[in-house]
Amino acid sequence: MKHNSFTILFLLFLSAFCVAQDSLKTVVAEPGDGILSLLRKQGVNPYEVYDEFVALNHHDLRDSVHLFAGRIYVLPRIKLDTVAIVDSLQLQSKEIKELESDSYDIFGEQHKTVITKSERLKGNVYYLVSGHGGPDPGAMGVYAGKAIAEDEYAYDITLRLAKELLAHGAEVYIIIQDENDGIRDDFVLEIDHDEVAYMNKTIPLNQVARLKQRVYIVNDLYKENRGKYQRLIVTHVDSRSENQNIDVFFYHHEKSKNGEKLAESIHKTFGDKYKKYQPNRTYSGTFEDRTSLYLVKKTHPAMAYIEIGNIRNKKDQVRILDPDNRQALAKWISEGVLLDFEGE
């Protein structure tokens, strides 16, 4: 029996569609469910399919990572490198494709897979610096009777941000690194002192020497990448009075229009997210010039310096310690980066 080319293509599509549908099932989120707990309850290793789950369900996630109780979610069941899926489960398209991904050991065994989302940042270079590290843990706080340190949380958010930027095709330099600490999904992150600077440089104890080292590394890389679109993002956690609850805020160099635009774009993204997801709460985070900060003053790329929250305040600790919230912070920063590059 003869088939014309259209019939053959239709049969191939139908076959692929059926395989895709057979490979995926749905589940209803219950009150209190997070992505990790929902996947575990379904007998799925959450770390193997986390990014795929987010990719499949991104239109139905609050704060980009939180579930809505009572809503239906698509649950991947096949390994990331083999599953065929419908391009849009919201019926926007019927194109079948495979998820493209790369692997990066720095994110840890459970999070090393980076699924390609787009090439919107292809050719762009981003330098990511997490505050403190090595002999200096930075700001300290206490949660559930255990000590918590700024550098561990700033690093975790920075890794999550790096993963988001890589997913959009960016070239990313993680300036402070810890080969033992990938992305971690714990509330209390164990404190250690084995972080190193880019290219395995020992981090000095002296504060000025430590800051100078970071400036030299970033500025040397900036020269190497001359002619490319380059930006720097520095992530810190603040320490203030226990009673002072603060929102995420941003600094930039007073004479850098590009740095101001980057900080403003991320700030705007946070403001928009609060309006959408927390309409009864006013976002009070600011962006302003702060050239007195050493990294703001001395580094060459246009940059945004981010303070995530007050590590000593109980409300801010929820934002900092909850791994889902750290993921949301990274996602929102990445969306601000995209806004900065592409404009409104």
Side-chain angles (χ1 to χ4, degrees):
M1 182 168 129
K2 288 179 71 174
H3 295 279
N4 61 33
S5 59
F6 175 81
T7 303
I8 293 172
L9 288 173
F10 176 77
L11 290 174
L12 288 172
F13 166 79
L14 183 61
S15 175
F17 182 79
C18 290
V19 170
Q21 290 295 88
D22 187 55
S23 302
L24 302 170
K25 66 177 182 179
T26 59
V27 61
V28 177
E30 299 177 354
D33 273 345
I35 294 177
L36 298 180
S37 61
L38 180 141
L39 292 172
R40 287 193 184 101
K41 286 195 293 186
Q42 298 301 314
V44 178
N45 183 333
Y47 302 108
E48 289 184 358
V49 300
Y50 182 94
D51 287 336
E52 184 185 359
F53 180 92
V54 172
L56 291 171
N57 296 284
H58 65 280
H59 290 300
D60 293 305
L61 296 174
R62 178 174 56 83
D63 297 354
S64 302
V65 296
H66 293 97
L67 304 176
F68 289 97
R71 191 162 295 185
I72 298 173
Y73 292 93
V74 178
L75 181 68
R77 292 193 298 170
I78 296 180
K79 294 182 68 174
L80 297 177
D81 56 357
T82 60
V83 66
I85 66 167
V86 180
D87 184 46
S88 172
L89 295 174
Q90 285 71 37
L91 301 181
Q92 296 171 349
S93 169
K94 292 262 180 101
E95 177 187 358
I96 302 298
K97 68 177 183 179
E98 288 189 357
L99 294 173
E100 297 179 5
S101 64
D102 289 302
S103 182
Y104 299 85
D105 289 339
I106 194 168
F107 299 131
E109 183 63 28
Q110 307 285 13
H111 290 274
K112 65 182 181 181
T113 301
V114 177
I115 294 177
T116 300
K117 298 178 180 178
S118 77
E119 293 188 343
R120 294 165 67 185
L121 298 176
K122 187 175 182 179
N124 293 8
V125 177
Y126 293 92
Y127 309 106
L128 307 184
V129 179
S130 54
H132 304 276
D136 177 20
M140 301 290 293
V142 177
Y143 176 80
K146 297 182 180 179
I148 53 176
E150 171 184 4
D151 67 326
E152 304 297 340
Y153 294 92
Y155 182 63
D156 189 76
I157 293 167
T158 295
L159 289 183
R160 293 171 188 269
L161 173 59
K163 192 171 179 180
E164 290 291 329
L165 298 180
L166 287 167
H168 289 292
E171 182 179 350
V172 179
Y173 292 87
I174 302 172
I175 304 304
I176 304 303
Q177 302 181 2
D178 187 331
E179 65 176 4
N180 302 316
D181 293 340
I183 293 172
R184 291 175 282 177
D185 294 311
D186 304 307
F187 271 69
V188 176
L189 300 183
E190 184 179 348
I191 300 172
D192 60 27
H193 305 283
D194 59 350
E195 294 86 5
V196 295
Y198 181 73
M199 297 299 287
N200 206 34
K201 295 182 177 68
T202 299
I203 298 175
L205 175 61
N206 178 269
Q207 181 184 20
V208 175
R210 185 171 63 247
L211 295 174
K212 282 184 176 180
Q213 181 188 63
R214 295 171 195 207
V215 168
Y216 292 150
I217 291 171
V218 170
N219 289 348
D220 284 347
L221 289 169
Y222 181 78
K223 292 176 185 177
E224 290 179 17
N225 289 298
R226 191 180 302 277
K228 297 181 181 180
Y229 182 97
Q230 304 183 59
R231 294 292 185 267
L232 165 64
I233 299 175
V234 179
T235 306
H236 276 263
V237 179
D238 209 353
S239 177
R240 303 190 181 190
S241 164
E242 291 183 10
N243 297 323
Q244 191 168 1
N245 173 217
I246 60 175
D247 279 328
V248 181
F249 58 94
F250 312 89
Y251 296 131
H252 60 85
H253 195 289
E254 61 182 350
K255 295 182 179 179
S256 173
K257 294 298 182 183
N258 289 333
E260 181 179 2
K261 181 173 176 287
L262 174 61
E264 183 178 13
S265 296
I266 304 174
H267 175 268
K268 181 181 185 303
T269 300
F270 271 69
D272 290 345
K273 296 294 185 181
Y274 270 76
K275 287 179 183 177
K276 181 176 180 180
Y277 298 119
Q278 301 185 44
N280 297 322
R281 184 188 181 295
T282 301
Y283 173 61
S284 61
T286 60
F287 78 96
E288 58 189 88
D289 62 84
R290 186 77 178 273
T291 311
S292 60
L293 292 170
Y294 195 92
L295 261 64
V296 175
K297 183 177 182 179
K298 298 291 186 179
T299 48
H300 293 161
M303 66 99 74
Y305 186 109
I306 305 174
E307 290 281 7
I308 297 299
N310 178 9
I311 199 168
R312 300 179 63 200
N313 180 268
K314 298 304 181 185
K315 290 183 178 179
D316 283 9
Q317 284 182 350
V318 174
R319 180 192 314 144
I320 298 164
L321 272 64
D322 187 326
D324 283 341
N325 289 340
R326 295 200 296 273
Q327 183 62 35
L329 289 168
K331 184 70 164 53
W332 292 6
I333 295 170
S334 73
E335 291 181 20
V337 169
L338 287 164
L339 176 63
D340 169 62
F341 177 63
E342 297 175 338
E344 299 186 35

